[in-house]
Amino acid sequence: MGSSFGRLFCVTTFGESHGGAVGVVIDGCPPRLPLTVDEIQRDLDRRRPGQSTITTPRDEPDRAEILSGVFEGQTLGSPIGVIVRNLDARPAAYAEFKDTFRPSHADYTYEAKYGIRNWQGGGRASARETIGRVAAGAIARKLLAITSQVEVLAYVRRVHTIEAAVDPSGVRLADVESNIVRCPDPTTAATMVARIEEARRAGDSLGGVVECVCRHVPVGLGDPVFDKLEADLARGMMSLPASKGFEIGSGFAGTTLTGIEHNDPFAVDAGGRVRTLSNRSGGIQGGISNGEDIIFRVAFKPTATISQPQQTVDRHGQPVTLQARGRHDPCVLPRAVPVVEAMACLVLADHLLRQRGQCGA
Amino acid sequence: MGSSFGRLFCVTTFGESHGGAVGVVIDGCPPRLPLTVDEIQRDLDRRRPGQSTITTPRDEPDRAEILSGVFEGQTLGSPIGVIVRNLDARPAAYAEFKDTFRPSHADYTYEAKYGIRNWQGGGRASARETIGRVAAGAIARKLLAITSQVEVLAYVRRVHTIEAAVDPSGVRLADVESNIVRCPDPTTAATMVARIEEARRAGDSLGGVVECVCRHVPVGLGDPVFDKLEADLARGMMSLPASKGFEIGSGFAGTTLTGIEHNDPFAVDAGGRVRTLSNRSGGIQGGISNGEDIIFRVAFKPTATISQPQQTVDRHGQPVTLQARGRHDPCVLPRAVPVVEAMACLVLADHLLRQRGQCGA
Amino acid sequence: MGSSFGRLFCVTTFGESHGGAVGVVIDGCPPRLPLTVDEIQRDLDRRRPGQSTITTPRDEPDRAEILSGVFEGQTLGSPIGVIVRNLDARPAAYAEFKDTFRPSHADYTYEAKYGIRNWQGGGRASARETIGRVAAGAIARKLLAITSQVEVLAYVRRVHTIEAAVDPSGVRLADVESNIVRCPDPTTAATMVARIEEARRAGDSLGGVVECVCRHVPVGLGDPVFDKLEADLARGMMSLPASKGFEIGSGFAGTTLTGIEHNDPFAVDAGGRVRTLSNRSGGIQGGISNGEDIIFRVAFKPTATISQPQQTVDRHGQPVTLQARGRHDPCVLPRAVPVVEAMACLVLADHLLRQRGQCGA
Amino acid sequence: MGSSFGRLFCVTTFGESHGGAVGVVIDGCPPRLPLTVDEIQRDLDRRRPGQSTITTPRDEPDRAEILSGVFEGQTLGSPIGVIVRNLDARPAAYAEFKDTFRPSHADYTYEAKYGIRNWQGGGRASARETIGRVAAGAIARKLLAITSQVEVLAYVRRVHTIEAAVDPSGVRLADVESNIVRCPDPTTAATMVARIEEARRAGDSLGGVVECVCRHVPVGLGDPVFDKLEADLARGMMSLPASKGFEIGSGFAGTTLTGIEHNDPFAVDAGGRVRTLSNRSGGIQGGISNGEDIIFRVAFKPTATISQPQQTVDRHGQPVTLQARGRHDPCVLPRAVPVVEAMACLVLADHLLRQRGQCGA
């Protein structure tokens, strides 16, 4: 259960990392949106394994196939089915996990919940599940761009203890894509890469923080109570593998300010538009976008798969020492960047249609 | 839109702070659950205004009335309707906000989204909206306690820069309720109270962090992808007024650990149960509860309503200086505690029923 | 569970016939819709008991109270809560049903499903549950009228074996309301009334057919697959107490035509609009409205509550003879008319907003 | 929108008749259900075109491929993805429909709703969309059989004016499958086949009625208000292509009985189980199954595609005469039988899990 997201722009993902394919169905996309498979592939390529020296060497081309919903280069308004075949699956590499629970993985909880699990990979807990999110996110991104010039851009803000100095308002995609760690600050990026390579050599792994900025979001998206825009963003981000925290605008740090320091004064800009002079609200007030940049951060823990020996138990309750081999990312952050963007696009696209439905604009 | 929460244990709240009443409908509650209005009132009393010197003086008894769904002391399995009348509403006190947007409030975004707003209070952005959550949460709490001895307990972990030293595993309700700030560390609590009173005297406000621990949660709650247990908790918490951040287990701080340091080793306890030796996962792995304590934290910004003059604009785009009067909390944290608990109970109760539905246990 | 209806215009009803109140929450209504409680009351008055000699003598004024969501005569876009108190409840009159299952009522199935039931009336199976539907339907009707001049009109087409000759395209509300049985053919109406009074005197009851016509429905409402407009109408109508059948356009009778006889030829009218020359499709093709009148019929069984002795069993499995007293309608049709209209309005309003959301018009 | 069905056993279909594939995702299926692709194929074979002389000659093997959710012969509890490739697509045969609206088809309404349509076939209105329903229904059927020995069996009750005499309680699958029209009365079946072949020779088409019986359904499935079991069945059946009516139990005919004649008396059978002595309720009372056979009927109109010349208009509003060629069924009834069964299984499986979730049994 729980494989669907969105009320009007509704996506449903499916697929295990070592079954036939992973995929997604996008239901509710507006019709006549120009769309090619290349636009989906572009984001998938940013997410795919084997793209650099600091990602898993699993070699998956991750080619998307559109099965339905697009006709002569335009969306039909019907469900868009997209699949990506699993090619470089090596179930044998996972044989040791058949009976042993990897620490801080989902092996134990899946087994306890379902009484069965696909031990040939991570099942639904595999990062491959995010392929469907990224494919759907690419379509949502197109919709947002065409309808409202919305731009969604994420980047690595911190790896381990290395924090980049970044001004969210000025970051461009080219900056982010200029290096393999996807940090728009090139000097810091180099340090991050070195730290990640060091961790990999040590059989260890690292976490960090991804920051995301959403520009030109129309005023009025989001709903007042349970479906506040930041609540849906939080749900989306906390549903990503390895995420441990979410904050918007001033976030946790903002709690050390007083109200006088924290409130965003209103003013009217030259164009007559109501603006805030600061943006500690992070672009959302009362659950609804206020037209300023939406800025949030997501914490990702260090990858659970490490090569050092670890203490664990097997399915029969016996203590064992596990030394995982297998192919994995020593740091998920670089590949998490397009996934964070995809989830942000899905949330915004859904609320764009909801707003049009309820309020007619 | 967006006033409902939960798939099987489904709650819908309604009501503005200055309309006739606020309320909630709980649909999908299991039948034959013993329930009295007193059990609902107990949590409402912890939430109600005027309960101490550091909360708003608005004097609302907030007496709950059960309109349906309970018969001879037991739930019927039909929707439970609960309302609380608004009594101490003073619309005149809000007259100055009719045309002026309070900084970091929802006034502007509501006006922009809907083209209308109930300026006699905060509308749906009022803290009174959480009455429905707390009433429903009390019922969810009862269900969780009876079915699985689940215990959900929140407390103030930090106010402004004053952080309490608390061991989540040992906190008891009596500790939390022993002081008006709801911090289980009495010495720190006194400092917090002093700081809050100081802020109020200065016409200022404070934020902080609420921590919540959920004990005895059965293994297996939560779904692998979009409805991960931590994703639904994050959505619930980030849907609370004034919340700016959510983290689970090791959270943001955990991102500075390496994988070797962060992973939770598995072991089997004396009773033959699989346990983790540490709990940086925060009781959830792969989106599913693992039987350890679920521990998360929520950041609340300083209250937006302050008495100091502030720069803002009115509905006609003219700059104005606003000096708010009105009754408000200088710090929402103490009253947020029961609300955080309520939302956690709603998430857990829903997933308890979902797990029973899909997996039969 | 199952007390909510609609995806964007979403209503949730609650309340038993003998609890404190019945009510409804309407979430997702567009803002700035002019609305007074009188507009709701008008439809409730057409539904209320005791309105004529052929309805139950239970005397309920059924006065609606709007608790939220309306401000200065306009909707706010927030949930609209409406309640109606139960006044003329006489639980004692139901004491005999505490242990005995009334034939063709929900007593047995409620008891079997929930292990408990509110025997002081019909619980959620009471016709009073439809109060919430009618209140919400009145708001949906207003939305439809203002947005698209949609007109929804139902009437009694048949009582027992007495069928009226009615041309759906010409019926007016005044015709329907001109007599207590709500049949727009006055001569037939008189015969129907006589037949119903005869049944009541005999301690018996009657069923029949309600027909409904929806005019000026915009082209394009409804979705191709599971949410076809006729599917949602069917769900809505078959969710009404005592309904046993639904048909649209040519319905069951149309199955005896051949394709040549049944197809609706297309033509272009004087205004350049695509029209069908006949309307066996009933205004919907491929699940989507085509701009012609939507016409459907609903079969209602004879009221289950009769005064003649009946064979049944009690909760202990003992055979008993039941002779029901209590107050009931000898024929639900006249009061079902506004309820059928309400459900049609709810379906159309929801699809109106959905269409605006997905397709922008 | 509207491509999903079910709250816990939730299916989402996708695919046009002439795109790459049609398919379905089943989310929420219980884990450890034994399942092979052959069990899905069995029902697809009963639905597939070209299976007999009275169905369309389009030759599609309709081989199902399971992409996910099944591991070593058992369901994982994760989403089950199933696709069927479109092989015998001949878009050229549809060229004449590119600009012309076929009468009583969805061409016009799709064009009006979306501003675009896949004219190379019927798009989502194609009968091929039901492949996903049948594949999902096969899994639901397996779940129902294993959990509760539920048996769902449909058959052709009437073709045009030829009605079979059938006792629903005695029909077996072998009787239904003994002839190509799927009518369990062999003599009538032969007459039906002759009538269908006659219609095809005349370039005409026929409709009729499918009846369905569900046996051994546990007491207690269904919810009191909007999600009454018959309401969800009605929605499911009225969402099938070409369906025009639905009735349960006594249906439309029952409205000519009086309450005394219509009520089902209760009695206790030899095994101590509460039973009804007649079954005019059709196995459902108050929206909830009562343990008797659930019996309902669905009206299907004559196929809209006929070979006789028809009056219609083109996209430019010009009158044209259309003489359709192409491959089609002269009567959809025989192939509708497995589709009706599939939808019934989907409704029952969803309510089985819902009941387990809310009431624990």
Side-chain angles (χ1 to χ4, degrees), chain D residues 110-135:
Chain D
Y110 274 44
E111 185 94 22
K113 182 182 184 71
Y114 298 119
I116 183 175
R117 77 189 151 94
N118 182 344
W119 50 263
Q120 300 175 342
R124 289 292 278 165
S126 163
R128 285 191 75 67
E129 181 275 327
T130 60
I131 285 176
R133 308 187 192 220
V134 170

Side-chain angles (χ1 to χ4, degrees), chain A residues 113 222 227 235 310 355, chain B residues 113 222 227 235 263 310 355:
Chain A
K113 182 181 184 71
D227 296 359
R235 181 193 167 205
Q310 297 181 85
Q355 171 67 354
Chain B
K113 182 182 184 72
D227 296 359
R235 180 191 168 208
N263 279 359
Q310 298 182 85
Q355 171 67 354

Side-chain angles (χ1 to χ4, degrees), chain C residues 1-5 7 11 13 101-106 108-110 112-114 124 129 133 158 160-161 204-209 219-220 222-228 230-232 234-235 238-239 244-248 250-252 254-260 262-268 274 277 280-281 285-286 288-290 297 299-304 306 308 310-313 317 343 354-355 358-359, chain D residues 1-5 7 11 13 101-106 108-110 112-114 124 129 133 158 160-161 204-209 219-220 222-228 230-232 234-235 238-239 244-248 250-252 254-260 262-268 274 277 280-281 285-286 288-290 297 299-304 306 308 310-313 317 343 354-355 358-359:
Chain C
M1 219 185 313
S3 297
S4 295
F5 192 86
R7 193 189 290 223
V11 307
T13 71
F101 303 133
R102 287 170 293 167
S104 291
H105 270 272
Y108 168 62
T109 51
Y110 274 45
K113 182 181 184 72
Y114 298 118
R124 289 291 277 165
E129 182 275 327
R133 308 186 191 221
R158 183 157 58 73
H160 196 215
T161 57
D204 207 349
S205 65
L206 300 176
V209 173
V219 186
D223 284 294
V225 181
F226 297 114
D227 296 358
K228 285 186 168 74
E230 68 267 46
D232 280 357
R235 180 191 167 208
M238 291 302 296
S239 79
K244 302 298 286 183
F246 172 89
E247 61 178 14
I248 185 147
S250 62
F252 279 89
T255 63
T256 62
L257 302 178
T258 73
I260 293 172
H262 191 276
N263 279 359
D264 293 317
F266 280 116
V268 171
V274 174
L277 296 179
R280 280 175 284 270
S281 297
Q285 293 179 322
I288 299 165
S289 59
N290 66 359
R297 283 164 296 283
F300 289 94
K301 69 172 185 179
T303 319
I306 52 176
Q308 292 288 326
Q310 298 181 85
Q311 176 182 354
T312 186
V313 299
M343 289 309 299
R354 288 166 65 155
Q355 171 67 354
Q358 186 184 8
C359 299
Chain D
M1 219 186 308
S3 296
S4 294
F5 191 87
R7 192 189 290 223
V11 307
T13 72
F101 301 133
R102 289 169 293 168
S104 291
H105 269 271
Y108 167 62
T109 51
Y110 274 44
K113 182 182 184 71
Y114 298 119
R124 289 292 278 165
E129 181 275 327
R133 308 187 192 220
R158 182 159 58 73
H160 197 216
T161 57
D204 207 349
S205 66
L206 299 177
V209 173
V219 186
D223 284 295
V225 182
F226 297 114
D227 295 359
K228 286 187 169 75
E230 67 268 46
D232 279 358
R235 180 190 168 209
M238 291 302 296
S239 78
K244 301 298 288 182
F246 171 89
E247 61 178 12
I248 186 147
S250 62
F252 278 88
T255 64
T256 62
L257 302 178
T258 72
I260 293 172
H262 190 277
N263 278 359
D264 294 315
F266 280 116
V268 172
V274 173
L277 295 179
R280 281 176 283 269
S281 298
Q285 293 178 324
I288 298 166
S289 60
N290 67 358
R297 281 164 296 282
F300 289 94
K301 69 174 184 176
T303 319
I306 54 176
Q308 292 288 327
Q310 297 181 85
Q311 176 183 353
T312 186
V313 300
M343 289 308 299
R354 289 166 66 155
Q355 170 67 355
Q358 187 184 7
C359 299

Side-chain angles (χ1 to χ4, degrees), chain D residues 97-303:
Chain D
F97 309 140
K98 181 175 179 179
D99 290 316
T100 304
F101 301 133
R102 289 169 293 168
S104 291
H105 269 271
D107 298 339
Y108 167 62
T109 51
Y110 274 44
E111 185 94 22
K113 182 182 184 71
Y114 298 119
I116 183 175
R117 77 189 151 94
N118 182 344
W119 50 263
Q120 300 175 342
R124 289 292 278 165
S126 163
R128 285 191 75 67
E129 181 275 327
T130 60
I131 285 176
R133 308 187 192 220
V134 170
I139 300 173
R141 187 197 296 275
K142 188 74 186 281
L143 171 65
L144 290 162
I146 285 187
T147 313
S148 308
Q149 291 78 47
V150 173
E151 190 184 10
V152 172
L153 191 59
Y155 45 86
V156 172
R157 181 71 193 238
R158 182 159 58 73
V159 166
H160 197 216
T161 57
I162 307 168
E163 178 131 15
V166 181
D167 172 14
S169 68
V171 178
R172 295 165 308 148
L173 177 61
D175 302 332
V176 178
E177 295 298 314
S178 68
N179 58 73
I180 58 176
V181 80
R182 292 203 169 88
C183 173
D185 169 355
T187 313
T188 310
T191 315
M192 288 172 171
V193 171
R195 182 80 62 92
I196 293 171
E197 288 180 335
E198 181 187 341
R200 184 174 53 188
R201 280 190 303 270
D204 207 349
S205 66
L206 299 177
V209 173
V210 169
E211 189 166 72
C212 183
V213 56
C214 311
R215 297 169 182 144
H216 312 307
V217 176
V219 186
L221 303 197
D223 284 295
V225 182
F226 297 114
D227 295 359
K228 286 187 169 75
L229 197 56
E230 67 268 46
D232 279 358
L233 286 168
R235 180 190 168 209
M237 300 308 150
M238 291 302 296
S239 78
L240 295 178
S243 68
K244 301 298 288 182
F246 171 89
E247 61 178 12
I248 186 147
S250 62
F252 278 88
T255 64
T256 62
L257 302 178
T258 72
I260 293 172
E261 297 161 345
H262 190 277
N263 278 359
D264 294 315
F266 280 116
V268 172
D269 70 9
R273 192 156 78 85
V274 173
R275 305 291 305 274
T276 63
L277 295 179
S278 53
N279 187 16
R280 281 176 283 269
S281 298
I284 304 176
Q285 293 178 324
I288 298 166
S289 60
N290 67 358
E292 305 300 321
D293 285 355
I294 293 177
I295 298 170
F296 62 85
R297 281 164 296 282
V298 188
F300 289 94
K301 69 174 184 176
T303 319

Side-chain angles (χ1 to χ4, degrees), chain A residues 104 109 113 158 160 204-205 220 222 227-228 235 239 244 246 248 255 258-260 263-264 285 304 310 355, chain B residues 104 109 113 158 204-205 220 222 227-228 235 239 244 246 248 255-256 258-260 263-264 285 304 310 355:
Chain A
S104 291
T109 51
K113 182 181 184 71
R158 182 158 58 74
H160 197 216
D204 207 348
S205 65
D227 296 359
K228 286 187 167 75
R235 181 193 167 205
S239 78
K244 302 297 288 181
F246 171 90
I248 186 146
T255 62
T258 72
I260 293 173
N263 278 359
D264 294 317
Q285 293 179 322
Q310 297 181 85
Q355 171 67 354
Chain B
S104 292
T109 52
K113 182 182 184 72
R158 181 159 58 74
D204 207 349
S205 65
D227 296 359
K228 286 187 168 73
R235 180 191 168 208
S239 79
K244 301 298 287 183
F246 172 89
I248 186 147
T255 63
T256 62
T258 72
I260 292 173
N263 279 359
D264 292 317
Q285 294 179 322
Q310 298 182 85
Q355 171 67 354

Side-chain angles (χ1 to χ4, degrees), chain C residues 19-94:
Chain C
V22 292
V24 65
V25 180
I26 300 103
D27 195 24
C29 184
R32 284 169 291 127
L33 188 73
L35 184 71
T36 66
V37 74
D38 289 347
E39 290 166 302
I40 295 172
Q41 195 61 50
R42 197 179 308 149
D43 279 346
L44 287 179
D45 287 347
R46 296 173 71 210
R47 194 219 74 89
R48 86 175 182 86
Q51 64 182 266
S52 81
T53 59
I54 57 171
T55 63
T56 168
R58 177 168 173 166
D59 187 22
E60 288 280 2
D62 284 350
R63 302 302 302 179
E65 180 188 4
I66 297 178
L67 296 178
S68 66
V70 179
F71 182 65
E72 297 183 340
Q74 289 190 300
T75 58
L76 282 165
S78 61
I80 304 168
V82 181
I83 61 169
V84 167
R85 295 279 174 183
N86 295 317
L87 299 179
D88 188 21
R90 302 183 194 168
Y94 288 82

